[in-house]
Amino acid sequence: MTRTLRTLTVPLDGESTPGGLPSYLVRDDVLCWTRREAGLVGFGEVARFTATGPERFLEADIWWRHLVIEADITDHVECPGTGPVAFGSFAFSKVSAHESRLIVPEIVVGVRDGRAWLTQITADDGELTEEGALAALRGWLEGSATGETPAEPAAAVGLSGTATLETGSLSEEDWMAAVAAGVAEIRTGKLEKLVLARDVVATVPEGVNAADVLRQLAIRYRECWTYGVDGLVGATPEMLIQVEGRTAQARVLAGTLDRRDAVGEAGLPLDYAERVLAGSEKQRHEHEIAIQSLTTQLAPFSEAMNAHSEPFILELPNVWHLASDVKAELTEVEGHVPTCLALINALHPTAAVCGTPTQVAGALIRKLEHMDRGPYAGPVGWLDAAGNGEWGIALRGAVIESPTTVRLYAGCGIVEGSHPEAELAETWAKFRPMLESLGISS
C-alpha cells in the first residue's frame, strides 16, 4: 500500500527557466510533456501504478483518486499541473501484454502562460520547504551529463555513420500486402476505415541518448507535444483529450501529405497542401470518419460541444495534416464531472488510430499487423489532483528497448481508395521525426 503523499508547490522565478522546459530535458530517465517551451518535466519516482487488460484506465483512475484524496497538499501557485502530478502511458490494446502505467515523480518543474513552478512530492515524514525543494531539483540536474540546451537543433547526434535500421515485425512487402488485404476487407463493407502500423528497429552502437532525442524533438516540433515516459519518447501532433476544469478539448488528425512531395512544385508549399490534401476526397473522407468517431464518443459526457466545420492544414516540419479542434463543456455523469481517465476509457481507441467500427478494425489490426503495438498509439500524458490533464496519442514516437536499440512505430489510415505503395511512403514520412532525432538519414 502506498503511503500518504505530501506535496509542496512553489513559484520559480523567470531566471530559473530561461530556456523554457527544454532546458530541463537533461536526463535519460526524465518524465516529459512539453509544447512551445511550456508543460511539465518530472524527475525521480515516488509511486507507480501498473495494469493490463480492458479495465486499465478505470483501475488507474481509482488508484489515482485514492492517492490524491489522502494527500497533504500545499500549493502556492494553484494552476493546472501544480500539486501532485502523475505522468502516464497506456497500452494501445486491451489484450496487450504491455503494462500501462502511472508514475508519480519526486520533483516536477512546470511552465505555463509565463509562470513557472516547482513541486516536490514525497511519501516521507520530513518537513517540506522551498529551500529543500530547490536543493532537490539542483541535485537531479547536477547529476546529469549536461544541462545545456542547444540554441539550434543539431543536424544529428553524431550517430549517422554507424546507426542501422532493420525491418520489424513485417517486411515492407508483407506490410503492403497487409494494406491490400485491409482494403479488400473495406470493400466488402465490413468496415469503413482501418489503421495499420508497422515498426522498424534502429541500432545505435554508441548508445541512445534519450535526453538529446527529447530536446531535439521539443525544438524541431514545437507544434507537437513532446513526451517521455519510461523509455517511450516522441512528439505527437494529436491531442486525445485535454481537461481544464469542466472544459475538454481535443485535436483530431486524419489525412497526411509528405512535405517532400511539394519539392519542385510551382507556387507556395501551403497552396500545394491545400490543393492536394484538402482537395482530396479520399483524405477528407478519412478525416470525417475520425472527427465523427471522437465527437460521437464524447457527446454523452458533454452539455455543449463545437468542432471546426472545415478541417485546417496543420503544418509540421515533415508532413501536413488535415486537423480539426473540438471543444466541449463537460456535464456531470452520475453526480460528478468525468475525470481524464474516465474520458479516455470512453474515447480510446478513436478511428484516427484504430478504424471504424472499432471492434471490427481492432480484430483486423491484430490479424494483419503481426505485432503488439505496446504503448504506440495509446494515450500518453499527465493528470493532477484537481482533475486537469493533457493526454495525447503516442504517435511519431519510439520505445527505447535497450541502451543501443530503439523500436520506431508509424501507421496509416486505410480506406477504400488507399494504395499500398503510397501508404508505405507515408510511414517513412512519419518515421522521420524519430529518425532525425537519432541522427539517421531518411
Side-chain angles (χ1 to χ4, degrees), residues 5 44 49 56 83 92 127 130 220 246 249 270 274 287 292 298-299 344 371 381 388 393 429-431:
L5 293 185
F49 172 85
R56 60 200 184 283
F92 168 81
E127 183 182 5
E130 181 174 354
R220 282 192 174 108
R246 297 185 69 139
Q249 298 185 76
L270 197 56
E274 289 278 1
H287 188 80
Q292 184 178 2
L298 188 57
I344 290 171
M371 69 176 181
N388 306 302
I393 299 174
K430 291 175 175 177
F431 281 134

Side-chain angles (χ1 to χ4, degrees), residues 4 44 264 286 302 307 434 436:
T4 301
E286 182 185 339
S302 308
M434 281 304 308
E436 289 171 349

Side-chain angles (χ1 to χ4, degrees), residues 4 16 61 76 95 131 193 204 218 232 237 246 261 276 321-322 331 348 353 376 402 405 419 430 434 440:
T4 301
S16 301
D61 193 24
H76 297 297
V95 300
E131 293 75 14
K193 177 184 176 180
V204 184
L232 172 68
R246 297 185 69 139
D261 292 345
V276 177
H321 287 296
L322 284 182
T331 188
H348 178 80
V353 292
Y376 167 72
S402 81
T405 59
H419 298 286
K430 291 175 175 177
M434 281 304 308
I440 301 173

Side-chain angles (χ1 to χ4, degrees), residues 214-232:
L214 290 170
R215 280 203 307 271
Q216 291 195 50
L217 289 172
I219 294 169
R220 282 192 174 108
Y221 290 83
R222 296 184 70 252
E223 296 304 309
C224 296
W225 290 270
T226 297
Y227 57 86
V229 179
D230 248 19
L232 172 68

Side-chain angles (χ1 to χ4, degrees), residues 181-194 285 289 354-365 367-368 414-416:
V183 171
E185 291 287 331
I186 290 169
R187 287 174 177 162
T188 68
K190 294 177 183 177
L191 71 167
E192 273 191 281
K193 177 184 176 180
L194 173 68
H285 176 59
I289 293 171
C354 179
T356 188
T358 303
Q359 288 188 336
V360 178
L364 199 53
I365 284 170
K367 176 183 176 182
L368 295 177
I414 310 302
V415 293
E416 187 173 351

Side-chain angles (χ1 to χ4, degrees), residues 9 39-41 75 77-87 108-112 117-119 121 243-244 382-390:
T9 301
L40 301 171
V41 170
D75 187 348
V77 179
E78 295 186 341
C79 74
T82 62
V85 167
F87 291 78
V108 180
V109 177
V111 177
R112 174 189 172 97
W117 64 88
L118 168 65
T119 298
I121 307 172
V243 177
E244 185 174 333
W382 64 271
L383 75 168
D384 68 15
N388 306 302
E390 294 180 286

Side-chain angles (χ1 to χ4, degrees), residues 290-320:
I291 195 72
Q292 184 178 2
S293 165
L294 182 124
T295 54
T296 299
Q297 292 164 299
L298 188 57
F301 303 93
S302 308
E303 58 186 32
M305 187 188 308
N306 61 64
H308 288 143
S309 57
E310 284 287 317
F312 63 92
I313 301 291
L314 177 64
E315 187 174 6
L316 300 177
N318 59 324
V319 296
W320 290 288

Side-chain angles (χ1 to χ4, degrees), residues 31-115:
L31 296 162
C32 166
W33 181 265
T34 76
R35 182 173 184 255
R36 296 177 180 170
E37 289 78 48
L40 301 171
V41 170
F43 301 91
E45 182 176 322
V46 173
R48 173 184 290 248
F49 172 85
T50 60
T52 58
E55 303 301 317
R56 60 200 184 283
F57 302 116
L58 298 181
E59 290 173 10
D61 193 24
I62 292 169
W63 179 83
W64 177 246
R65 282 188 286 159
H66 285 173
L67 196 67
V68 298
I69 284 172
E70 298 174 356
D72 179 3
I73 302 170
T74 302
D75 187 348
H76 297 297
V77 179
E78 295 186 341
C79 74
T82 62
V85 167
F87 291 78
S89 162
F90 288 83
F92 168 81
S93 173
K94 63 185 178 183
V95 300
S96 174
H98 177 80
E99 282 192 335
S100 301
R101 63 207 65 189
L102 290 178
I103 302 170
V104 182
E106 176 188 333
I107 290 289
V108 180
V109 177
V111 177
R112 174 189 172 97
D113 298 330
R115 304 172 72 189

